């Protein structure tokens, strides 16, 4: 039901599209709905992050995309191929689905390397499955290991590597089939912060160098902040927010934006107006606050602020306090809006951050605004 | 006396060797099949799994001496006789297949499901999963299982001796029990003990050799050759905090 809206919002060719994706697990008479009508679009060449707490359905989602899990209903299209149609009725994956899978790389939280094989041999596994000849396999594997910076470890066994190195092998292996899409299942969750950063950088580089489209799931907001162009928030099997980072920031009451750029602070006195201002693009570099102060001759206190670079662009949020009630500040607030800033009055929007309600009607108005930017 | 023991030892080795080979050839696929057809397996099929599992259970629970008698018609149709080394190989092998199959099942079940997923995500079919993941990753454990099977077969082969199957068991019974030649009986026991020790040693060594690549957790421990390395982690000062 939301697919039309999402389709209108997106520019660029979608490489992964799910519509109405539902997964229900049945065990001993109990039913657990892991995915509840997920509509997702990942555009070509972007890094798309799905964030959510454990149990939100992220894992089921990413496994439904290459059909490691068979969705109960709904469709999955990857690179123009309807995978759900290829899956057929039986529990086993047919030849066509397996061929399609070989063009989707996947990396795992626990690396899932074969301990009985060397690093190089691990990278060769997908090539063996594809029926590539021995010589060519070896050439390709070494090339990929070079790409991920592990050329000197080719003859080592996974047990001799550190976590970060193991994940690099996992990434090299995922790239062996020249995939267009890389699925990352909590790829950095088992790594320390330093290693996480280097792995994310690697994924970012591959995304740029190879034009690889990346769908990653994570529970770490930092991952989204570091490399994602777009993000979606999952709760109880549903996508409750989704869009590019800029779109999310431009969405009033966006939980993701709040989480990415948390601002806090209470009004110091009753007769004050608290305003959340979001800067991005051009406006981030303008001295807007001092202009506001000079133009209207008002004192502004900053209660809280967060600034960062997301996808190479400066983005920030700030909570400021203006003297007087809202009614008295209509004009200055209008000024801020004119400067191209996203302005929210903390009293109504931030005071009650749109907690996600269940049911279609309460589904938050996600990426409707901000698209023009 | 010596040629007698020599012949008997060779007979035992022949019986055990052939039946082990057949037990592995039959038990390995059977054990893997049990895992694949089980709940959550790649070929999940509750009915087939139950039937095959039941057949294996019956094979496992039947006392070997009864199995041997029960299989006599089959043995006769295969080897043309029900006595002698060749005739003993048939019930030994058939008895050992379900035994080894259960050991294989346990070993293969230990393999991390994530590895199966990884190969599936590359487009591998069930056969690729079996060949590239299930068997190689459980190999040390499979070798230990095969060793256990060989040792069990040596025990069974002595029973085969009781009904004229030949081998060391036959010597121990005909000379030691029926003719009160206790000395000879002790010699056969000693030979069996040595043979079993050697087999266990070789099995452990092989399992260790293939798991040296760092499987760690599933690797069987070889007490004999274990050189206890100082745990590196314990040496580091832990009072940093």
């Amino acid at each position: 039901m939301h697919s039309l809206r999402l389709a209108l919002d997106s520019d660029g060719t979608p490489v992964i599209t799910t519509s109405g994706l539902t997964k229900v697990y049945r065990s001993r008479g109990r039913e657990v709905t892991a995915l509840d009508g997920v509509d997702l679009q990942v555009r070509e060449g972007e890094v798309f992050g799905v964030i959510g707490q454990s149990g939100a359905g992220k894992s089921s989602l990413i496994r439904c995309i290459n059909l490691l899990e068979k969705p109960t209903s709904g469709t999955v299209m990857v690179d123009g191929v309807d995978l759900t149609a290829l899956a057929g009725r039986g529990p086993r994956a047919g030849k066509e689905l397996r061929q399609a899978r070989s063009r989707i790389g996947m990396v795992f939280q626990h690396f899932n390397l074969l301990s009985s094989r060397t690093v190089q041999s691990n990278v060769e596994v997908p090539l063996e499955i594809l029926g590539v000849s021995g010589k060519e396999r070896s050439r390709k594997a070494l090339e990929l290991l070079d790409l991920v910076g592990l050329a000197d470890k080719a003859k080592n066994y996974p047990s001799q590597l550190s976590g970060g190195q193991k994940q690099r092998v996992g990434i090299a292996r995922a790239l062996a089939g020249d995939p267009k899409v890389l699925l990352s299942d909590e790829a950095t969750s088992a790594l320390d912060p330093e290693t996480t950063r280097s792995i994310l950088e690697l994924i970012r580089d591959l995304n740029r160098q190879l034009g690889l489209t990346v769908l990653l799931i994570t529970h770490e907001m930092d991952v989204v902040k570091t490399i994602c162009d777009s993000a979606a928030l999952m709760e109880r099997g549903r996508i409750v927010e989704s869009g590019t980072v800029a779109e999310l920031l431009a969405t009033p009451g966006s939980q993701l934006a709040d989480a990415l750029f948390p601002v806090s602070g209470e009004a110091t006195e009753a007769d004050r107006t608290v305003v959340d201002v979001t800067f991005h693009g051009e406006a981030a570099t303008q001295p807007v606050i001092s202009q506001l102060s000079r133009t209207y001759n008002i004192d502004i206190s900053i209660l809280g602020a967060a600034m960062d670079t997301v996808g190479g662009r400066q983005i920030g949020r700030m909570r400021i306090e203006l003297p007087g009630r809202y009614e008295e500040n209509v004009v200055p607030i209008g000024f801020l809006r004119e400067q191209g800033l996203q302005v929210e009055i903390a009293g109504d929007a931030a005071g009650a951050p749109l907690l996600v309600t269940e049911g279609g009607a309460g589904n938050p108005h996600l990426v409707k605004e901000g698209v023009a930017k | 006396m010596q040629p007698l023991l020599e012949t008997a030892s060779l007979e035992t080795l022949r019986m055990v060797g052939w039946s082990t080979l057949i037990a592995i050839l039959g038990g390995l696929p059977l054990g893997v099949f049990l895992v694949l057809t089980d709940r959550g397996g790649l070929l999940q099929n509750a009915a087939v799994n139950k039937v095959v599992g039941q057949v294996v259970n019956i094979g496992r629970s039947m006392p070997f001496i009864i199995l041997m008698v029960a299989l006599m018609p089959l043995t006769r149709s295969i080897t043309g006789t029900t006595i002698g080394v060749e005739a003993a190989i048939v019930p030994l092998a058939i008895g050992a297949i379900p035994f080894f199959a259960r050991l294989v099942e346990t070993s293969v079940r230990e393999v991390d499901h994530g590895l199966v997923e990884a190969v599936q995500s590359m487009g591998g079919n069930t056969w690729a999963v079996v060949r590239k993941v299930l068997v190689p990753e459980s190999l040390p454990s499979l070798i230990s299982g095969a060793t256990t099977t060989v040792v069990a077969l040596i025990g069974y082969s002595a029973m085969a001796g009781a009904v004229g199957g030949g081998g060391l068991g036959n010597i121990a019974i005909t000379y030691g029990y029926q003719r009160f030649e206790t000395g000879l009986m002790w010699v056969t026991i000693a030979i069996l003990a040595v043979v079993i020790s050697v087999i266990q040693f070789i099995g452990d060594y092989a399992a260790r050799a293939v798991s040296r690549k760092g499987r760690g957790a599933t690797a069987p421990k070889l007490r004999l050759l274990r050189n206890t390395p100082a745990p590196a982690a314990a040496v580091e000062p832990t009072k940093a905090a």
Side-chain angles (χ1 to χ4, degrees):
Chain A
M1 53 178 166
H2 317 297
S3 54
L4 182 64
R5 189 201 67 224
L6 285 167
L8 290 173
D9 286 342
S10 60
D11 41 2
T13 339
V15 173
I16 303 174
T17 309
T18 73
S19 48
L21 200 63
T22 302
K23 175 75 189 176
V24 180
Y25 294 99
R26 290 187 181 86
S27 71
R28 290 187 219 98
R30 277 185 57 216
E31 287 197 352
V32 179
T33 306
L35 296 177
D36 189 3
V38 170
D39 299 317
L40 194 73
Q41 279 207 334
V42 180
R43 278 164 289 181
E44 186 160 11
E46 75 175 344
V47 179
F48 193 107
V50 176
I51 191 162
Q53 292 176 334
S54 51
K58 308 184 300 283
S59 250
S60 301
L61 173 64
I62 203 159
R63 276 171 178 67
C64 277
I65 285 176
N66 60 3
L67 267 88
L68 284 178
E69 299 264 10
K70 206 170 173 189
T72 311
S73 65
T75 57
V76 176
M77 302 269 291
V78 176
D79 200 15
V81 181
D82 185 347
L83 297 187
T84 31
L86 293 183
R89 302 214 124 273
R92 278 202 288 159
K95 197 171 178 206
E96 285 173 316
L97 175 59
R98 281 187 274 114
Q99 274 173 355
R101 271 183 191 159
S102 69
R103 292 189 297 271
I104 302 173
M106 188 164 184
V107 286
F108 302 87
Q109 179 174 7
H110 298 295
F111 326 122
N112 294 351
L113 302 177
L114 298 171
S115 58
S116 51
R117 288 174 171 242
T118 61
V119 164
Q120 180 185 343
S121 179
N122 262 288
V123 179
E124 287 184 21
V125 174
L127 299 166
E128 288 170 18
I129 290 169
L130 287 169
V132 178
S133 75
K135 217 173 158 189
E136 173 63 15
R137 280 207 305 265
S138 160
R139 190 196 61 77
K140 178 97 188 178
L142 291 172
E143 185 188 303
L144 287 165
L145 285 172
D146 195 40
L147 185 68
V148 300
L150 280 182
D152 56 327
K153 300 283 184 195
K155 297 282 170 262
N156 287 58
Y157 283 90
S159 59
Q160 298 164 316
L161 304 182
S162 69
Q165 290 171 329
K166 283 182 193 166
Q167 196 56 288
R168 283 171 188 267
V169 178
I171 291 170
R173 182 179 68 177
L175 297 176
D178 292 321
K180 201 165 178 184
V181 172
L182 183 71
L183 305 177
S184 159
D185 178 13
E186 299 269 12
T188 58
S189 300
L191 304 174
D192 59 71
E194 187 76 16
T195 317
T196 295
R197 207 167 310 132
S198 80
I199 292 293
L200 292 179
E201 262 168 36
L202 175 64
I203 293 178
R204 194 27 134 182
D205 287 349
L206 295 170
N207 158 258
R208 289 193 180 139
Q209 281 175 28
L210 310 175
L212 196 66
T213 305
V214 181
L215 172 63
L216 60 86
I217 64 167
T218 183
H219 63 268
E220 295 167 312
M221 197 51 83
D222 267 349
V223 170
V224 175
K225 213 174 196 173
T226 312
I227 64 167
C228 290
D229 303 305
S230 301
L233 174 66
M234 254 192 122
E235 269 175 17
R236 275 168 267 153
R238 290 161 175 267
I239 300 275
V240 293
E241 285 182 24
S242 112
T244 65
V245 172
E247 283 168 355
L248 289 168
L249 282 169
T251 307
S254 159
Q255 291 184 65
L256 266 178
D258 270 354
L260 283 168
F261 298 98
V263 285
S264 57
E266 293 295 312
T268 47
E269 278 173 55
D271 266 9
R272 302 289 159 114
T273 306
V274 177
V275 179
D276 283 348
V277 185
T278 304
F279 307 82
H280 43 81
E282 283 277 289
T285 55
Q286 304 293 320
V288 189
I289 299 297
S290 65
Q291 281 174 8
L292 177 70
S293 180
R294 258 185 282 121
T295 313
Y296 298 98
N297 196 25
I298 49 176
D299 293 324
I300 301 164
S301 16
I302 295 171
L303 299 175
M307 273 281 190
D308 216 325
T309 310
V310 175
R313 285 194 299 176
Q314 265 238 306
I315 285 179
R317 277 157 74 93
M318 187 182 275
R319 175 166 287 191
I320 57 173
E321 190 185 54
L322 307 174
R325 294 179 183 282
Y326 173 67
E327 294 76 34
E328 300 160 39
N329 283 306
V330 172
V331 178
I333 289 168
F335 169 82
L336 287 174
R337 289 210 166 107
E338 267 169 37
Q339 304 302 306
L341 301 180
Q342 175 72 38
V343 180
E344 281 176 66
I345 314 305
D348 33 277
L354 283 185
L355 278 175
V356 183
T357 44
E358 282 165 280
N363 207 16
H365 42 278
L366 302 175
V367 272
K368 272 185 187 155
E369 300 181 37
V371 187
K373 279 150 208 159
Chain B
M1 184 126 318
Q2 215 181 339
L4 189 73
L5 281 172
E6 227 178 83
T7 321
S9 300
L10 287 175
E11 279 173 352
T12 294
L13 290 181
R14 247 173 76 211
M15 278 192 284
V16 173
W18 280 107
S19 49
T20 301
L21 186 71
I22 299 168
I24 289 174
L25 290 178
L28 183 62
L30 189 59
V32 172
F33 185 75
L34 280 170
V35 176
L36 291 178
T37 52
D38 198 10
R39 220 159 61 92
L42 296 183
L43 303 174
Q44 182 171 339
N45 188 327
V48 170
N49 185 266
K50 202 146 203 169
V51 170
V52 176
Q54 207 55 48
V55 170
V56 168
N57 282 344
I58 291 169
R60 290 266 285 122
S61 59
M62 204 176 304
F64 178 67
I65 200 142
I66 294 173
L67 182 77
M68 198 161 53
V69 174
L71 285 178
M72 274 182 177
L74 178 72
T75 306
R76 197 194 311 276
S77 71
I78 294 175
T79 64
T81 174
T82 58
I83 50 172
V85 172
E86 278 74 27
I89 290 172
V90 175
L92 280 174
I94 290 176
I97 287 174
F99 181 85
F100 186 54
R102 281 290 181 212
L103 294 176
V104 170
E105 187 190 1
T106 319
S107 306
V108 169
R109 214 183 279 284
E110 293 284 302
V111 174
D112 183 359
H113 186 70
L115 300 176
V116 174
E117 257 191 353
V119 168
Q120 282 184 299
S121 77
M122 297 167 197
N125 55 13
T126 307
W127 178 234
V129 169
V130 170
R131 244 179 24 158
K132 295 185 196 304
V133 180
L134 297 183
V135 172
E137 288 294 307
S138 59
L139 196 56
S141 174
L142 290 177
I143 291 174
S144 298
T147 310
T148 309
T149 307
V150 174
V151 171
L153 275 171
I154 291 174
Y156 289 167
S157 77
M159 270 189 263
V163 294
L168 288 167
N170 191 24
I171 301 273
I173 287 179
T174 49
Y175 289 82
Y177 178 69
Q178 286 162 352
R179 288 165 66 170
F180 299 102
E181 287 188 32
T182 322
L184 193 57
M185 188 184 68
W186 283 114
V187 173
T188 60
I189 290 173
I191 293 174
L192 284 173
V194 169
V195 168
I196 286 173
S197 302
V198 168
I199 285 168
Q200 190 67 51
F201 181 81
I202 294 171
D204 287 350
Y205 185 80
R208 196 174 150 82
V210 293
S211 72
R212 193 173 295 146
K213 295 151 190 177
R215 236 159 307 217
T218 53
K221 290 178 190 78
L222 182 61
R223 277 165 228 96
L224 270 171
L225 290 182
R226 203 148 182 87
N227 49 341
T228 43
V235 178
E236 286 169 24
T238 45
K239 284 193 174 173

